[in-house]
Amino acid sequence: MSQGLSTKHLLGIKYITLDDINLIFDTAREFKEVINRPIKKVPSLRDITIANLFFENSTRTRISFELAEKRLSADIVNFSASSSSVSKGETLLDTVNNILSMKVDMVVMRHPAPGAHFFLANHIDANIINAGDGTHEHPTQALLDAYSMQEKLGNLTGKKIAIIGDIFHSRVALSNIFCLKELGAEVTVCGPPTLIPKYITELGVKVEYNLHKALQWCDVANILRIQLERQDIKYIPSLREYALYYGVNKALLDSLDKEIIIMHPGPINRGVELSSDAADSHHSIILDQVENGVAVRMAVLYLLAGKRN
Amino acid sequence: MQPIMEKAKLILDSKRFALTIDRLSYELVENHGDFSHSCIVGIQDGGVILMDKILKALNEKSNISNILNGKLDITFYRDDFRKSSHPIKASSTEMDFLVEGRRVILVDDVLYTGRTILAAMTALLDFGRPASIELLTLIDRRFNRHIPIQADYLGMAIDTMDHSYVKVEWDIKGNSDCVRMLKEKKN
C-alpha cells in the first residue's frame, strides 16, 4: 500500500527521496493518459484551492501549473508581483497570509530569493510548491526533464547526461543534478569557466569545457538558457562568441558518432545556446518536455494534496 | 498457506468459481448477443482480472471474440481521497475507444459500499455518453451498501459484517481461483 510522499511541501529535489521521485513518475504516467483523453479532467482536487504566486516573470511554468490545477478540478487564484501590493511595500509573509485568510490550501510560488519557500513553509499551513527560487532550485522542471529522459531511454541508471550552458545562474541545473544523481545517472556540466560554479564537482558531477567532447560523451544534452537578466557583471565577452563556442547546432550534432537527445527547458534563445535547425530536429524532445510538464505537475499537486487531512 | 488463510472461510471454491464465470458469460450473451453495440470495462485491479476471465469464457464457450474492452482506474475519481488510508497510487487506465452510444458492462470483483462503482461511472462519462451502463460483479456484500447501486449480473450474494473482509484469490493463468471471507482485514 502506497504511503504517499515523504513530505508535505516540494521545496526542492534535495529534500525528497528516490521513492518520492518514482511515485511522482508513476503517477505522472497515469495523468499523461488523462490529458490525452477527449475530456482531460479528473475531479481529484475539486475541494482544493491553489494560489499561484509569481513574484518573478514566467510564461510556460505558470501556464503549465495552471493547466495542471484546472485538469485536477482545483479552484485557482493567480497573483503576479507586478500588479500587486508587493509593489506598494507589503512583505512576503503579509501578502501570503492575506491570501491564505481566503482559505487557500496550496501555494505554488516563484520568487527571486533563494530559500523564500522555506521561510513560507515555516510560517504557514498550506502545502508549498517551489516553482523556482532565484538561482537555487526548480524542482518540477527537473522532475519533468528526468521523466522525459526516462520516457525515451528507460531506466536512467548509468545513462550519461550533459547539462550545457549557464550553470552558475541556473536553478534548473542544480535541481537536474540532484534528480539525475538520485536516479543513478552520470552527469557532466559544460560551459565557459565563468559560468561553472567553482565547487560544482562536490555534487558528484564532472566538468567539461569543450562542447564537442561533452556532446560526444552524452546520451542526452540538456541545454540551458543564458540568463542575461541574472548576470550583474559580464561573464561572457558577447552572445556571438558564446554561440560560437557553446551553441549547439545541427552540423555539430551530425558530426557526432551517435544520436543524442536534445532538451531545453525554454524559453530558447534561438541562435545563441541552440540553433533553430537543432531545436526543430528529430533529436529534440523539447515539446515532449512541455507536455510532460503538465502531467508531472498534476502528479505533484495530487500527491501533495494527499498529505492534507 | 499462511495461518491467516487457514482461519478464512471458503465461500466459493474453484469448481463453483469456474461455473459462476461460465454462467455470467452466458447471461451476457443472452442480453448482448454478438456484443456489436456493447463493450466491457473492467475496474482496476480485480475487475480487470474478472473481465479477462469472462472474455476467455465468452471466447471458449460461446465462440465470441474481439469484444471491445477496456481497463478503468478510478483512483483519481474516488470520493474518499484524503479521507481514508486508501492507497493513492494509481493503476493504468487503458481505454482506447469512446463509450458514446454503446451499452457498457462495468465489471468489478466485489460490490461492497457502492462508492467504487459510483466513481467508475463518473470516470466512464469522461469517455462519452453511453447508451446504458450495466454492472457485473462476482460477489455482492448486500447489506454493506452506502449508495443505492445494484448489480445486473451477479456471481454470488453474501451477508457479511462491516468489519469482515472478502478476498478473491485469483489464479490468473489457471482455474484455481476461489473466494474466502476473513473476520477482519489484515495487511
Side-chain angles (χ1 to χ4, degrees), chain B residues 47-166:
Chain B
V48 170
I49 306 171
L50 178 60
M51 175 183 75
D52 288 341
K53 295 218 171 249
I54 287 185
L55 287 172
K56 188 164 172 263
L58 284 166
N59 189 16
E60 288 173 359
K61 307 281 177 184
S62 307
N63 204 21
I64 301 172
S65 56
N66 300 324
I67 299 172
L68 202 56
N69 67 85
K71 300 173 183 174
L72 190 65
D73 182 74
I74 54 110
T75 308
F76 301 139
Y77 294 84
R78 294 200 71 93
D79 64 357
D80 58 356
F81 176 51
R82 298 186 291 111
K83 291 186 178 66
S84 77
S85 57
H86 234 276
I88 51 172
K89 192 170 172 179
S91 297
S92 63
T93 290
E94 293 170 30
M95 294 278 294
D96 53 3
F97 59 92
L98 292 179
V99 297
E100 187 75 35
R102 290 195 170 272
R103 297 174 63 197
V104 180
I105 304 148
L106 207 51
V107 178
D108 201 7
D109 52 353
V110 180
L111 175 59
Y112 179 31
T113 61
R115 288 179 190 271
T116 299
I117 307 302
L118 180 67
M121 287 196 285
T122 311
L124 204 57
L125 296 180
D126 283 356
F127 294 90
R129 181 182 182 274
S132 64
I133 303 176
E134 292 176 325
L135 176 63
L136 181 152
T137 70
L138 182 65
I139 302 291
D140 177 8
R141 297 178 62 173
R142 58 184 167 181
F143 296 135
N144 300 95
R145 208 78 79 244
H146 295 178
I147 291 165
I149 284 174
Q150 306 302 332
D152 299 281
Y153 308 95
L154 179 61
M156 182 187 196
I158 58 169
D159 304 337
T160 56
M161 304 295 280
D162 222 7
H163 53 75
S164 54
Y165 180 62
V166 175

